[in-house]
Amino acid sequence: LTISGDEQAVVRFTTSAGDSKIPVGAFDSTDKKVWIYLKNTSSNSVEKIYIKPENGGSAGPTFAILGAGEFLLIPYGGNDYIWTEAASGTPVLEYGIFEV
């Protein structure tokens, strides 16, 4: 994986009810291409995290749901941000943003 953009963080973020952007700067690499790693660190089965794309400054429709302990690694491009929402509680999302 060749990293060429600004964001190269692997950190944790406490999610909540209501849509929230993952707290990083806008994706600005060529064609806004990034690899995104996301993991729901909760062990509570009701603490799911909804993952949503950018939609003109707000959250779009849910495209992934991470249950307790689940993770994903996806290529993502053409958008400025990625959004989250907790189904219940305040599960912690571990994430890595790698601009390419």
Side-chain angles (χ1 to χ4, degrees):
L1 187 62
T2 302
I3 308 299
S4 60
D6 297 336
E7 305 300 337
Q8 301 174 25
V10 177
V11 294
R12 290 178 172 215
F13 168 63
T14 301
T15 61
S16 61
D19 297 325
S20 299
K21 284 187 244 180
I22 290 181
V24 296
F27 307 145
D28 61 2
S29 62
T30 304
D31 298 324
K32 299 186 183 287
K33 290 182 182 178
V34 296
W35 277 89
I36 297 176
Y37 157 76
L38 303 168
K39 181 180 180 184
N40 180 347
T41 64
S42 177
S43 59
N44 186 333
S45 64
V46 300
E47 291 189 331
K48 295 179 174 80
I49 301 174
Y50 301 119
I51 308 301
K52 304 174 180 188
E54 172 79 3
N55 184 19
S58 61
T62 298
F63 71 84
I65 300 171
L66 296 176
E70 293 182 332
F71 75 94
L72 63 80
L73 177 66
I74 58 168
Y76 184 75
N79 290 309
D80 290 327
Y81 301 99
I82 195 160
W83 294 71
T84 67
E85 180 182 11
S88 176
T90 55
V92 174
L93 179 71
E94 181 177 81
Y95 68 90
I97 306 293
F98 307 100
E99 291 190 57
V100 295

